[in-house]
Amino acid sequence: MASDGQHDISVLEVDNASIEFQQDTPWAIRDHNVGEDGVCLTWQELCVTVSDKEAKTSKTILENVTGYSCPGQVLAIMGPSGSGKSTLLDALAGRLDLNTKQSGQILINGTEQALAYGTSAYVTQDDVLMTTLTVKEIVNYSSLLQLPSSMSKLEKRKRADECIKEMGLQDSIHTRVGGWGVKGLSGGQKRRLSICIEILTHPKLLFLDEPTSGLDSAASFYVMSRIAGNQRAIGRTIITSIHQPSTQVFHLFGYLCLLSAGKTIYFGPAQQAIEFFSTNGFPCPSLQNPSDHFLQMINKDFKDNDIEQGLSTRKSTDEVINILVNSYKSSESYEQVQEVIYGICNNLKGSRLEKGRKRASFITQCQVLTRRSFINMCRDWGYYWLRLAIYIILGVGLGTLFFNIGFSHSSIQARGSLIMFVASYLTFMTIGGFPSFIEDMKVFKRERLNGHYGVTSYVVGNTLSSTPFLLMIAIIPGAIIYFLSELQREYQHFLYYLLLIFVCMLLIESLMMIIASLVPNFLMGIITGAGVQGIMMLSGGFFRLPNDLPNIFWRYPFYYISFHKYAFQGLFKNEFEGLEFPRNDRIGARMISGTRILKNVWQVEDGYSKWVDLLVLVGMVIVYRLLFLFFIKSSEKIKPLIKSFVRRAPKQVVQVDCS
């Protein structure tokens, strides 16, 4: 160590080159063991473009953006709407969509390497949480999912309590998140809860997308002060995009990356940005929020508003941006950024992060997801309870309408109509749970993107948790209909009837989950689900008998892939086999067997038993669940963190001042 009288200098020997850092350089740059203690993220000449397939053009979102972030400081990415803040954050986190093109260099501790699970965490702008769970339940379940099985439940619970306390949520642990029509957590509490979930694994790198969105100034300051107050002691690297922070929040930032139209206006210490604007002729008024002033100068959305410079001259926004961009590129701040990146890459080169931390085991994930989903379904009245109430009302109505259906000739058509309604409309009502499916899928996508658990464990947990409710919905209304209408009384017929209805419910539930994964929009999803089920109903062989169906489209292939075909035929065989009906309503008329009615009236295929129809439906349930697994797996359109080589810089002595 040496001293020049004003600053303490740390001298590092790298490849026979001496690199000197000022003492107030972020500690991670000077620490040989930064690979174990923290993460330094650097990016150089980063460009991101998105292609428009219809117009056959591409749009540049980020243009030659360069910067770095190290432990001990909060880096704020600021800029007006459309400036590329979220795109830069997604690029650094490796979350860009596949339709984007990315070039440049992103390095972690001076080395090309991917962000393993547990190393980083990403908090989205929207607080996607299960509204029926309490703060304690959400954090505890997340700890059971994210933390490895080598930790005991007591240790996981302790970690969860520590994170809750760190985010200041200890007074709200028994409060539900709340949603439509239910008072729950405030906006600031939801935001802190979202952060709390992601810091359970003690990530070294934390990305925050608009953490103050939707919050008032007081809540914004409280949230950001919690984040900024804890990260310095922990040694965590924090990068956040933020639109327009208050003055108090702005002073919490260590470094600032200011963007406009994808170009870097300024990168460096946040407080020095005020001096940078002032030096270039755009001083910030003494009583004005610095962030308000910055955005006013570089906002291109209102090009007609010229900006007054000095007392008599006015400049357009484009001219102001060009002045600031050119001034930054020729400034000492830009040179210091290049030097710091060079120092990080050379000093920390070869310092690789530890391998990805282990998650909970597959069995544990399935158990936790099943239990959490079951509790959510119990508390969400719109998931199953409202449907059950409607089913019971319809069951009573249908049972009284066909009360004591009897064995007359006219009961043949009545039994067929009753079976059709049970197999079609009662299962069709499963579409009522689609809004809950959508909310469930939102939570899954957020947690899956952050690596909390696997796709297979989610599908297994969702299937197991929904099974008791579907069984209840099949038994209660089904029994009401069956006994009021006085269908075949033998218990084996009744059990088959209930079992087939349950399988149909499970099948339609699987179909709607597939639609929810492909069409994540409430209105479009309901329309799509209704359309698919409507086509299956029409081709099922009731409204138009199988032999009368047009061969093209309706018979081949839809008649054979429609689950209504097998539901109709299974229930028809279950009801008519073993019965006899008079040819007409006159007393003493000759009887006709139910088997002949099946063949001649309903054109039911008699080459196999009703149990084959049931097995086909069970097979379709399995296929639909596998398709659901496939679609949500294939929908993960995320680019991996960009990899590129480290450009070797000439060996030299570099004086770095990051103050």
Side-chain angles (χ1 to χ4, degrees):
M1 297 289 293
S3 175
D4 61 358
Q6 294 179 343
H7 299 282
D8 291 332
I9 306 294
S10 296
V11 182
L12 300 177
E13 295 292 333
V14 181
D15 292 339
N16 298 322
S18 177
I19 303 177
E20 300 179 0
F21 295 95
Q22 301 291 351
Q23 187 63 30
D24 53 0
T25 301
W27 63 267
I29 302 177
R30 295 179 280 108
D31 193 343
H32 287 282
N33 297 321
V34 68
E36 300 176 0
D37 301 329
V39 173
C40 283
L41 189 65
T42 63
W43 56 97
Q44 287 183 282
E45 304 298 326
L46 184 61
C47 296
V48 175
T49 59
V50 59
S51 57
D52 187 345
K53 295 182 179 180
E54 295 181 358
K56 296 182 179 180
T57 58
S58 59
K59 180 181 179 181
T60 301
I61 307 298
L62 294 177
E63 183 178 345
N64 298 327
V65 178
T66 299
Y68 64 90
S69 182
C70 292
Q73 295 286 352
V74 177
L75 170 64
I77 304 173
M78 276 182 53
S81 299
S83 61
K85 303 186 299 295
S86 295
T87 301
L88 176 57
L89 197 71
D90 290 342
L92 298 178
R95 284 181 169 233
L96 288 179
D97 293 335
L98 292 177
N99 64 341
T100 59
K101 294 183 179 179
Q102 178 180 343
S103 63
Q105 179 176 270
I106 299 177
L107 301 175
I108 302 171
N109 288 349
T111 306
E112 52 180 53
Q113 53 185 309
L115 291 171
Y117 170 73
T119 302
S120 66
Y122 191 107
V123 181
T124 58
Q125 180 176 352
D126 298 324
D127 297 314
V128 183
L129 302 164
M130 283 191 171
T131 58
T132 59
L133 302 184
T134 65
V135 171
K136 186 175 183 178
E137 288 171 337
I138 287 178
V139 181
N140 281 337
Y141 283 133
S142 295
S143 67
L144 293 173
L145 289 170
Q146 297 185 64
L147 300 178
S149 299
S150 58
M151 294 179 64
S152 65
K153 290 185 178 180
L154 183 61
E155 291 175 324
K156 293 181 180 181
R157 191 177 297 112
K158 183 179 179 182
R159 176 75 65 86
D161 293 339
E162 290 174 353
C163 292
I164 290 175
K165 185 176 180 180
E166 182 180 342
M167 285 292 105
L169 293 169
Q170 60 270 25
D171 294 333
S172 306
I173 57 174
H174 298 299
T175 304
R176 294 186 184 182
V177 172
W180 181 83
V182 179
K183 178 63 177 175
L185 299 178
S186 65
Q189 289 172 326
K190 290 180 182 178
R191 174 56 58 180
R192 281 180 280 151
L193 179 57
S194 298
I195 298 171
C196 183
I197 294 171
E198 300 304 331
I199 63 175
L200 282 167
T201 58
H202 289 174
K204 300 176 182 179
L205 184 58
L206 181 61
F207 298 96
L208 301 170
D209 188 12
E210 300 283 358
T212 61
S213 177
L215 305 182
D216 57 41
S217 59
S220 299
F221 175 73
Y222 189 80
V223 170
M224 291 306 301
S225 62
R226 280 282 178 179
I227 298 171
N230 293 326
Q231 57 81 31
R232 183 178 294 274
I234 297 174
R236 181 180 294 142
T237 303
I238 297 182
I239 305 176
T240 176
S241 64
I242 192 165
H243 182 65
Q244 195 169 7
S246 64
T247 304
Q248 289 178 308
V249 173
F250 179 80
H251 289 305
L252 295 174
F253 301 143
Y255 283 80
L256 174 66
C257 177
L258 192 58
L259 300 176
S260 180
K263 299 179 181 179
T264 304
I265 301 294
Y266 172 80
F267 184 95
Q271 302 307 315
Q272 293 185 14
I274 302 174
E275 181 182 351
F276 172 76
F277 272 75
S278 179
T279 302
N280 287 279
F282 308 103
C284 178
S286 57
L287 299 180
Q288 187 173 355
N289 181 0
S291 60
D292 291 344
H293 175 69
F294 298 157
L295 296 181
Q296 181 183 354
M297 294 293 103
I298 61 176
N299 195 329
K300 297 181 65 175
D301 292 339
F302 308 97
K303 294 184 178 181
D304 295 335
N305 295 335
D306 294 337
I307 298 173
E308 184 174 357
Q309 183 189 26
L311 297 176
S312 58
T313 61
R314 287 180 176 269
K315 292 185 178 295
S316 66
T317 305
D318 289 332
E319 291 176 321
V320 172
I321 291 174
N322 290 332
I323 291 173
L324 294 174
V325 169
N326 295 329
S327 176
Y328 169 71
K329 288 184 177 180
S330 60
S331 66
E332 293 183 2
S333 296
Y334 182 74
E335 294 179 1
Q336 288 179 355
V337 171
Q338 300 291 337
E339 291 171 351
V340 170
I341 292 175
Y342 169 80
I344 293 172
C345 292
N346 283 273
N347 182 34
L348 304 180
K349 184 179 179 182
S351 173
R352 303 193 67 86
L353 297 176
E354 63 185 33
K355 295 182 180 180
R357 301 173 187 174
K358 294 183 179 180
R359 303 178 182 88
S361 66
F362 175 76
I363 300 298
T364 301
Q365 290 180 13
C366 292
Q367 291 174 345
V368 174
L369 289 173
T370 301
R371 187 162 63 250
R372 186 183 71 171
S373 183
F374 183 81
I375 293 175
N376 179 49
M377 292 172 181
C378 283
R379 295 177 181 175
D380 188 348
W381 286 96
Y383 219 121
Y384 288 111
W385 298 113
L386 181 59
R387 273 191 282 166
L388 176 62
I390 299 298
Y391 276 126
I392 292 175
I393 294 174
L394 287 173
V396 173
L398 198 60
T400 53
L401 183 64
F402 291 92
F403 180 73
N404 194 9
I405 200 169
F407 298 94
S408 64
H409 183 78
S410 61
S411 70
I412 297 174
Q413 181 63 42
R415 289 172 190 270
S417 300
L418 176 61
I419 288 172
M420 183 280 301
F421 194 91
V422 170
S424 298
Y425 191 72
L426 287 186
T427 55
F428 184 85
M429 287 295 295
T430 306
I431 200 172
F434 191 78
S436 299
F437 298 160
I438 290 290
E439 295 303 317
D440 199 30
M441 286 299 300
K442 289 179 180 179
V443 175
F444 161 74
K445 289 181 178 179
R446 174 186 63 81
E447 294 178 334
R448 171 58 184 164
L449 204 55
N450 288 333
H452 292 184
Y453 47 81
V455 175
T456 305
S457 56
Y458 169 75
V459 175
V460 172
N462 178 271
T463 303
L464 294 178
S465 60
S466 62
T467 298
F469 294 97
L470 294 175
L471 191 60
M472 176 181 61
I473 289 177
I475 291 176
I476 298 176
I480 292 174
I481 296 171
Y482 198 90
F483 289 110
L484 283 178
S485 59
E486 295 189 6
L487 298 176
Q488 286 214 50
R489 289 302 182 92
E490 288 80 1
Y491 74 92
Q492 62 268 26
H493 290 277
F494 175 62
L495 291 179
Y496 180 90
Y497 162 86
L498 292 181
L499 186 57
L500 191 139
I501 293 179
F502 164 69
V503 173
C504 288
M505 295 267 187
L506 189 58
L507 192 149
I508 292 296
E509 183 108 336
S510 303
L511 175 63
M512 295 307 298
M513 292 299 290
I514 291 175
I515 295 174
S517 66
L518 296 176
V519 188
N521 178 277
F522 169 69
L523 183 59
M524 292 178 62
I526 287 184
I527 294 173
T528 304
V532 171
Q533 292 193 58
I535 292 176
M536 287 188 174
M537 269 189 229
L538 293 176
S539 59
F542 178 84
F543 297 99
R544 187 76 166 161
L545 293 176
N547 294 339
D548 298 329
L549 286 172
N551 287 337
I552 298 177
F553 184 81
W554 292 108
R555 188 173 181 86
Y556 303 104
F558 275 97
Y559 174 66
Y560 291 98
I561 65 175
S562 170
F563 86 92
H564 291 84
K565 167 190 183 298
Y566 307 99
F568 288 156
Q569 297 206 8
L571 289 175
F572 279 143
K573 293 174 185 177
N574 183 63
E575 180 58 29
F576 283 94
E577 287 179 348
L579 295 182
E580 289 186 341
F581 301 87
R583 287 185 179 274
N584 51 54
D585 290 333
R586 290 180 299 177
I587 299 176
R590 194 171 53 162
M591 305 297 286
I592 183 173
S593 68
T595 304
R596 294 197 63 183
I597 292 174
L598 289 175
K599 184 176 181 179
N600 298 329
V601 177
W602 303 118
Q603 297 180 5
V604 172
E605 300 172 6
D606 58 357
Y608 53 87
S609 72
K610 63 183 180 181
W611 296 104
V612 175
D613 292 302
L614 182 61
L615 287 177
V616 171
L617 291 173
V618 172
M620 293 180 74
V621 170
I622 296 174
V623 171
Y624 278 23
R625 285 287 164 170
L626 290 177
L627 285 174
F628 176 50
L629 174 65
F630 170 77
F631 283 126
I632 60 177
K633 182 67 176 177
S634 61
S635 64
E636 298 175 358
K637 299 179 179 179
I638 299 297
K639 278 187 173 181
L641 188 64
I642 187 172
K643 291 185 177 181
S644 58
F645 62 92
V646 181
R647 291 196 292 265
R648 300 286 296 179
K651 299 176 182 179
Q652 56 181 331
V653 176
V654 183
Q655 300 281 347
V656 182
D657 183 0
C658 296
S659 60

